[in-house]
């Protein structure tokens, strides 16, 4: 950045209007304070464009004057992609671009702007009798642009795929201000590279997503939901395979949760009652959708077989929407509940589904050897191999000292993940947290290709510099 900050701020205010630019540090908190509280750099300014043309003008100015831009959605990311790294960047918030441009239920598509909150996208689809099936814990504040830029996953990946698979096309402003219009509802289009897939998951390093065409689906008539008691992750794997055979594509979710998560939530009164059937080392949250006119009792029949085969030891079926909500609250509060027990060290990893039991067993053994008394809290999406392999501090330990010893724990877990053919970032991304790790684990040719793409689309390194690639 060669221009004085005052000149940059004045130029950006001229584009969006003074009311839509924040330059006072005390007013920037909502845009700087990310969920994990790991990154604490200031920003030069926060700019909130209200039209795509304004995003283009901001990009043109930034590219011509060497001003770094950080695209931001709802500021819910967990790896620091959406907040400053150097302290000299301008945050470009897409919050004002929050319209629903079109919903076509017959085509199964919905075109929305990047600033639309995910929960509002759900409501917009539901108002038309449809469903947008991407569900994440932060859906009340996460915005579509950030959801796509981070290729968010969530609890329905098993049935519907992650954000990339739910996106048919995007509109994006490139680093030099040009507008890429890739909005499409075509299911078949073999006319060259799929440029949408470059921008989805790129964390704002290749372009600023301003709108997207998303897949929507017919709403199920009802859901069958159960919390089952399991002896081990091996039993969970056996049950998952059996459930998939019995229910096929109607198996929406299969989540694995350890007993310690229930214990923490009950002790801290995060649950008003125990949603499980009994005390068990592990639990599985299973959900099956029932379409209009479809048979009822599919899940119950499958669980009766599971009892007979001794794959589960107990189960409770949701008998009402309140029961279902209570069960899902247990799962969705797993990340939050760990903060009630002091410091935690977290890993968002994935392995082939068949290797999930080995990952958990080997990971716990390795880390307990490093830190006696540490409390393993592995949970997550058993159905797609994504485990949030977290560790809470030993009871009575000093949080600061515990966090300071994170590196050997990270190394142990990542070594096991890679040995089992997995990924060190399943759904949270790279951001500024895992850039060095990416260099260590990514195929060298793949890294060269990524750098070449970045250089071609953003030769001046204006868009989110230092994130993902360094």
């Amino acid at each position: 950045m060669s221009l004085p900050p005052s000149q940059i701020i004045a130029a950006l205010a001229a584009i969006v209007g003074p009311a839509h630019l924040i330059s006072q540090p005390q007013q920037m908190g909502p845009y700087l304070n990310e969920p994990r509280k790991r990154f604490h750099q200031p920003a030069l300014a926060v700019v909130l464009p209200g039209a795509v043309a304004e995003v283009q003008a901001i990009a043109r100015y930034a590219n011509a004057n060497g001003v770094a831009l950080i695209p931001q959605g709802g500021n819910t990311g967990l790896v620091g992609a959406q907040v400053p790294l150097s302290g000299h960047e301008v945050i470009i918030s897409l919050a004002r671009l929050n319209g629903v441009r079109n919903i076509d239920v017959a085509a199964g598509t919905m075109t929305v702007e990047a600033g639309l909150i995910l929960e509002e996208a759900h409501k917009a689809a539901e108002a038309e009798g449809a469903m947008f099936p991407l569900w994440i814990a932060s859906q009340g504040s996460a915005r579509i642009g950030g959801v796509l830029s981070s290729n968010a996953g969530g609890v329905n990946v098993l049935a519907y795929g992650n954000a990339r698979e739910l996106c048919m096309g995007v509109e994006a402003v490139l680093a030099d201000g040009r507008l890429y219009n890739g909005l499409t509802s075509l299911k078949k289009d073999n006319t060259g590279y799929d440029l949408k897939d470059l921008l989805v998951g790129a964390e704002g390093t290749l372009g600023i997503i301003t709108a997207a065409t998303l897949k929507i689906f017919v709403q199920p008539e009802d859901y069958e939901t159960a919390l089952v008691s399991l002896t081990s992750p091996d039993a969970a794997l056996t049950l998952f395979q059996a459930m998939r055979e019995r229910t096929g594509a109607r198996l929406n979710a299969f989540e694995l949760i350890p007993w310690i998560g229930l214990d923490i939530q009950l002790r801290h009164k995060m649950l008003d009652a125990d949603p499980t059937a009994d005390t068990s080392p592990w639990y599985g949250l299973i959900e099956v959708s029932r379409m209009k006119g479809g048979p009822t009792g599919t899940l119950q029949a499958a669980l009766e077989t599971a009892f007979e085969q001794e794959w589960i030891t107990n189960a409770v079926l949701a008998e009402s929407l309140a029961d279902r909500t209570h069960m899902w609250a247990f799962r969705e509060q797993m990340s939050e509940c760990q903060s009630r027990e002091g410091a935690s060290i977290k890993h968002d990893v994935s392995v082939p589904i068949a290797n999930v039991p080995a990952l958990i067993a080997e990971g716990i053994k390795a880390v307990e050897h490093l830190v006696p008394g540490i409390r393993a809290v592995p949970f997550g999406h058993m159905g797609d191999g994504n485990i949030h392999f977290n560790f809470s501090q030993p009871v009575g330990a000093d949080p600061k000292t515990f966090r300071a010893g994170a590196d050997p724990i990270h190394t142990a877990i990542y070594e096991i993940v890679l040995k089992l053919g997995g990924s060190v970032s399943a759904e949270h991304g790279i951001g500024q947290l895992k850039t060095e790790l990416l260099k260590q684990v990514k195929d060298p040719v793949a890294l060269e290709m990524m750098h070449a793409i970045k250089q071609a689309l953003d030769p001046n390194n204006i868009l989110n510099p230092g994130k993902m690639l360094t």
Side-chain angles (χ1 to χ4, degrees), residues 339 341-345 392-406:
S339 65
E341 293 287 298
S344 58
I345 294 170
S392 288
Q393 68 178 59
V395 175
D398 175 64
K400 194 170 184 180
T401 302
F402 176 69
R403 280 191 292 262

